[in-house]
């Protein structure tokens, strides 16, 4: 099989997943967008968290041209990305009981805020406890996960529950267990993951919905512009000054 045919198959698989998420998850995307808009309107702050590769989708909506300036990254040392050495440490930390509570206790999250938690499997202790503890603080939680994992894997949290069980709104990425879209007779393992493509698109759809909802209410969405266009820095400076008490990535 030619490499170009495999590339085409991956694009087809990713497009198919995006179409499913758009068509089957429309109501949840709308609800999540409205919840974001409600939080902004009511003076709340926005945060996003993801561990490992799930952090990529979280980072994509923080300090992003065309995105909401109020979205902040909630970081857990050692699990955001794969830059920790060894990289396997990040995966191990996701299974540590009590870590989420310690992180939230030292974070600026408070009642009335919103936290987006991204975890493909939703089975590890960290995202489960993050959602449980956040809601106990009065924080609204939007979970982005593959619900299929809850029926095909075992939870790694002592409660036996998954991220999806502790959210105000669940956005199902519909990624199959294993996160690999292609197989080939000459390759022993499945390959070509699509979770980042789909999860990132899901969250950008939510942010777009939120921006539109704010505009419908007569509120200018606190959007950032690219620093590479004329006037971008000045625009962003104004937005960051106006909403400085809700932006934490500048401190």
């Amino acid at each position: 099989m030619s490499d170009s045919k495999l590339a085409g198959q991956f694009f087809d698989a990713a497009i198919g997943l995006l179409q499913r998420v758009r068509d089957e998850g429309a109501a949840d995307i709308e609800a999540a967008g409205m919840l974001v808009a409600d939080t902004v309107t009511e003076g709340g702050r926005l945060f996003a968290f993801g561990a490992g590769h799930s952090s990529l989708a979280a980072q994509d909506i923080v300090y992003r041209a065309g995105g909401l300036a109020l979205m902040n990254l909630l970081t857990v040392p050692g699990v955001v990305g794969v830059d920790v050495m060894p990289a396997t440490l990040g995966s191990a930390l996701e299974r540590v009981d009590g870590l989420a509570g310690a992180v939230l206790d030292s974070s600026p999250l408070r009642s009335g805020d919103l936290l987006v938690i991204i975890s493909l499997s939703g089975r590890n202790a960290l995202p489960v406890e993050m959602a449980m503890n956040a809601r106990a603080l009065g924080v609204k939680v939007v979970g982005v996960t593959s619900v299929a994992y809850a029926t095909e894997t075992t939870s790694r949290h002592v409660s036996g529950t998954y991220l999806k069980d502790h959210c105000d709104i669940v956005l199902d990425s519909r990624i199959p267990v294993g996160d690999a879209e292609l197989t080939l007779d000459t390759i022993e393992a499945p390959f070509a993951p699509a979770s980042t493509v789909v999860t990132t698109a899901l969250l950008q759809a939510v942010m777009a919905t939120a921006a539109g909802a704010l505009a419908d209410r007569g509120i200018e969405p606190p959007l950032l512009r690219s620093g590479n266009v004329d006037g971008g820095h000045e625009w962003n400076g104004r937005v960051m000054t106006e909403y400085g008490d809700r932006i934490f990535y500048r401190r």
Side-chain angles (χ1 to χ4, degrees), residues 112-194:
D113 291 346
L114 182 145
L115 174 60
V116 177
I117 301 176
I118 306 155
S119 174
L120 177 60
S121 72
R123 67 188 296 221
N124 289 311
L126 183 55
V128 173
E129 290 183 358
M130 187 79 74
M132 293 173 68
N133 291 2
R135 293 183 87 190
L137 291 172
V139 173
K140 296 294 186 182
V141 175
V142 174
V144 187
T145 187
S146 171
V147 173
Y149 277 82
T151 59
E152 299 181 40
T153 68
T154 302
S155 170
R156 288 178 175 148
H157 188 255
V158 64
S159 68
T161 61
Y162 298 78
L163 170 60
K164 72 173 186 65
D165 299 315
H166 306 284
C167 300
D168 295 278
I169 298 171
V170 176
L171 300 176
D172 185 0
S173 64
R174 291 165 171 81
I175 299 293
V177 174
D179 192 17
E181 295 301 318
L182 303 182
T183 58
L184 199 61
D185 292 342
T186 54
I187 300 177
E188 190 168 345
F191 56 101

Side-chain angles (χ1 to χ4, degrees), residues 10 14 17-19 21-22 29 48-61 116-122 142-147 149 163 170-176 179 181 193-207:
F10 175 76
L17 283 165
L18 289 169
Q19 289 175 330
V21 167
R22 179 195 64 191
I29 293 170
F49 167 77
H53 287 95
S54 290
S55 71
L56 297 174
Q59 293 177 60
D60 193 62
I61 55 172
V116 177
I117 301 176
I118 306 155
S119 174
L120 177 60
S121 72
V142 174
V144 187
T145 187
S146 171
V147 173
Y149 277 82
L163 170 60
V170 176
L171 300 176
D172 185 0
S173 64
R174 291 165 171 81
I175 299 293
D179 192 17
E181 295 301 318
S195 60
T196 303
V197 173
V198 175
T199 303
T200 300
L202 251 177
L203 286 174
Q204 291 296 352
V206 170
M207 296 302 114

Side-chain angles (χ1 to χ4, degrees), residues 45 47 74-75 100-110 137 248:
R45 293 89 60 80
F47 296 85
L74 181 64
T75 59
V103 169
L104 288 177
D105 286 346
S106 61
S107 79
L109 273 163
R110 66 189 184 192
L137 291 172
F248 297 91

Side-chain angles (χ1 to χ4, degrees), residues 1-11 182 184 187 191:
M1 179 179 295
S2 69
D3 294 342
S4 61
K5 188 171 182 179
L6 286 172
Q9 287 183 355
F10 175 76
F11 280 119
L182 303 182
L184 199 61
I187 300 177
F191 56 101

